[in-house]
Amino acid sequence: MKKIALIVQRYGLAVNGGAELHCRILAEQLRSSYDVEVLTSCAKEYTTWANAYPEGPSEVNRIKLKRFAVPYERNPVKSRRLFKKMRLNRIFPFYGNAQVLAEEWSKQQGPYLPGLISYLKAHEKDYDALIFFTYLYYPTFCGLRVAPHKSILIPTAHDESAIHLPAYKEFFKLPAAILYNTLSEKKLVNRLFNNEEIYSDIVGVGMDEVAEKDIPVAAEILGSEDRYLIYIGRIDAGKGCELMLDYFLKYKKLTGHQLKMVLLGKSFMKITEHPDVIYLGFVEEDIKRALLKQAEALIMPSYYESLSLVTLESMQLGVPVIVNARSEVLKDHVENSGAGYAFTSFPGFKFAVDEVLNNEQMLGLMRLKAKKYVNDHYNWKLVLHKIEKAVTAISG
């Protein structure tokens, strides 16, 4: 049985979003075909990278882990300062050595894990393949350079400022294979780095089949029988949540509709106080699924996404999605599935909400299209086949 390592910045049952969740569910699926080990940090929170888990070997859901301590926490001020220097370096190359600046910035961006890099240098021969998650963070930026000939990158890239830094021009040509989440992500990376010659595939993740069983009644959880929209994820201005709440309250004022907005996830911003904005924080998985399944629609206002697991989860349950059209990935999900709406402004948002509240015939079609889209494109059999092809291609 081949041995593979998955390298990711955080890992754990309490780390339940984005690339980290992607890594965890993939590791658990690959366990039946490979000897799987995860190399990661002791951090739980990305805002500080403070050590929260014990260093050394451990296990989560029968997946072997090696955790490495973070010597110092994230310094956002120093990180921003170095980022500005690197941007200036694009215009004035004499401003500083690009590679040195990039490595320093990566350390500050974190999580800085010199122990993980030393371990990889000493033990990369023990693994048939190394799979790195997320191009942005130190473990991938520096770890992938140790053995690029056996490294697979899952970049989770989107069009943000960092990806335009000079250091990534060389980085995106290093791995033996790149596995993208979506076609729009692949097009972006190929356009920026001209790296079409590298082995690549569009993989994403599989979605587990949802068992039909009794679920809690949303009205009992919320204490209200009013219809509601739902947002699930990090509640942050950078995720478009301020815009979403602004549009929602504007819609309420304009229409007088008895509609509520339910927010699930950790908040990193001040949430508008309003009787129809219900913030529940983190909830149990069965409660989350029940609230999502009984919502009128999932709102996904993020400007940047590389896949959006919660969007796929919503579609799998037959719940339409209303997304920010500025995210190419989210817009593609909607256009390719026919199971939602993409807005660019408040009129588009209002039209989408009006449709999901009032157009029953369209809603019935969307439910069917949503489920079909996920079943056709995001099933584990297809995903695992593509990953096995990539591992075989680079390991022989």
Side-chain angles (χ1 to χ4, degrees):
M1 183 178 281
K2 289 183 177 179
K3 186 174 184 179
I4 61 174
L6 279 63
I7 298 95
V8 70
Q9 59 273 10
R10 299 182 295 160
Y11 193 96
L13 297 178
V15 183
N16 58 357
E20 296 92 340
L21 176 58
H22 182 172
C23 178
R24 178 159 62 83
I25 60 178
L26 187 57
E28 291 171 8
Q29 288 289 331
L30 290 171
R31 190 176 60 83
S32 60
S33 302
Y34 298 99
D35 180 1
V36 176
E37 191 167 39
V38 173
L39 310 179
T40 189
S41 73
C42 297
K44 187 185 291 184
E45 295 292 340
Y46 81 98
T47 50
T48 64
W49 302 124
N51 293 311
Y53 298 107
E55 188 174 16
S58 62
E59 201 170 280
V60 173
N61 284 355
R62 296 190 292 170
I63 298 296
K64 294 177 291 183
L65 303 182
K66 279 191 175 69
R67 292 192 185 276
F68 298 87
V70 184
Y72 52 78
E73 295 182 18
R74 190 175 202 165
N75 185 333
V77 175
K78 194 169 183 179
S79 179
R80 284 194 295 270
R81 192 181 303 132
L82 286 164
F83 187 85
K84 287 178 182 177
K85 281 187 178 182
M86 286 192 296
R87 293 185 70 178
L88 279 170
N89 186 264
R90 292 173 62 188
I91 307 167
F92 307 108
F94 53 82
Y95 199 84
N97 182 284
Q99 189 59 36
V100 172
L101 286 173
E103 288 178 8
E104 273 304 307
W105 173 73
S106 184
K107 289 178 183 178
Q108 297 303 326
Q109 179 75 355
Y112 178 45
L113 300 176
L116 187 152
I117 303 303
S118 297
Y119 175 84
L120 278 177
K121 288 177 179 177
H123 296 279
E124 56 91 1
K125 290 183 176 62
D126 298 342
Y127 302 96
D128 294 284
L130 306 172
I131 304 178
F132 292 87
F133 284 79
T134 304
Y135 82 95
L136 186 63
Y137 296 112
Y138 177 87
T140 295
F141 184 75
C142 291
L144 192 145
R145 299 167 192 277
V146 173
H149 62 284
K150 62 168 66 175
S151 294
I152 297 173
L153 173 64
I154 299 179
T156 65
H158 44 257
D159 197 358
E160 58 188 339
S161 298
I163 203 168
H164 295 276
L165 293 170
Y168 286 114
K169 287 186 179 296
E170 172 246 356
F171 171 83
F172 271 95
K173 293 186 178 182
L174 289 175
I178 302 180
L179 302 182
Y180 299 101
N181 280 331
T182 61
L183 178 59
S184 56
E185 182 191 15
K186 174 178 166 57
K187 286 179 176 177
L188 169 69
V189 170
N190 288 166
R191 175 171 57 82
L192 291 177
F193 306 111
N194 298 314
N195 62 347
E196 294 91 339
E197 74 282 358
I198 293 174
Y199 178 102
S200 69
D201 206 343
I202 299 164
V203 179
V205 297
M207 301 295 290
D208 293 323
E209 289 187 18
V210 181
E212 292 293 333
K213 60 180 182 179
D214 293 337
I215 61 172
V217 178
E220 294 176 3
I221 299 169
L222 301 174
S224 168
E225 295 190 357
D226 289 339
R227 300 166 80 180
Y228 63 91
L229 306 170
I230 194 167
Y231 171 83
I232 301 172
R234 193 171 80 239
I235 302 167
D236 193 329
K239 283 284 191 178
C241 293
E242 280 187 353
L243 178 75
M244 174 184 70
L245 290 175
D246 179 55
Y247 281 5
F248 171 72
L249 294 176
K250 192 173 179 180
Y251 181 88
K252 293 275 298 179
K253 187 174 181 181
L254 192 63
T255 65
H257 199 289
Q258 291 293 100
L259 184 68
K260 297 191 184 302
M261 172 68 76
V262 175
L263 307 175
L264 304 183
K266 187 168 182 178
S267 179
F268 292 86
M269 62 175 242
K270 182 174 173 57
I271 297 173
T272 307
E273 291 187 14
H274 190 280
D276 292 326
V277 176
I278 303 172
Y279 172 53
L280 298 180
F282 280 116
V283 297
E284 295 294 325
E285 184 65 24
D286 62 333
I287 300 295
K288 183 199 84 171
R289 191 172 287 272
L291 290 173
L292 177 56
K293 187 175 178 63
Q294 295 167 71
E296 302 300 322
L298 172 80
I299 310 294
M300 189 48 58
S302 177
Y303 305 101
Y304 308 112
E305 290 293 327
S306 66
L307 181 62
S308 184
L309 287 169
V310 72
T311 296
L312 298 179
E313 188 176 358
S314 181
M315 288 182 172
Q316 187 184 35
L317 292 171
V319 178
V321 295
I322 299 173
V323 307
N324 191 335
R326 284 182 59 182
S327 167
E328 285 293 327
V329 167
L330 294 176
K331 186 174 72 169
D332 283 354
H333 280 321
V334 163
E335 290 179 352
N336 294 335
S337 67
Y341 301 91
F343 64 86
T344 56
S345 60
F346 174 71
F349 178 87
K350 180 181 181 299
F351 172 80
V353 175
D354 284 341
E355 285 290 293
V356 299
L357 291 179
N358 304 314
N359 193 336
E360 277 298 325
Q361 185 178 1
M362 179 61 74
L363 202 58
L365 285 172
M366 280 190 172
R367 288 191 181 108
L368 294 174
K369 289 179 177 180
K371 292 179 178 180
K372 185 176 187 305
Y373 177 70
V374 173
N375 290 337
D376 287 351
H377 300 283
Y378 297 95
N379 64 79
W380 277 118
K381 184 177 179 181
L382 178 62
V383 167
L384 294 176
H385 172 67
K386 290 182 174 183
I387 290 175
E388 286 168 11
K389 273 181 65 180
V391 171
T392 300
I394 69 166
S395 64

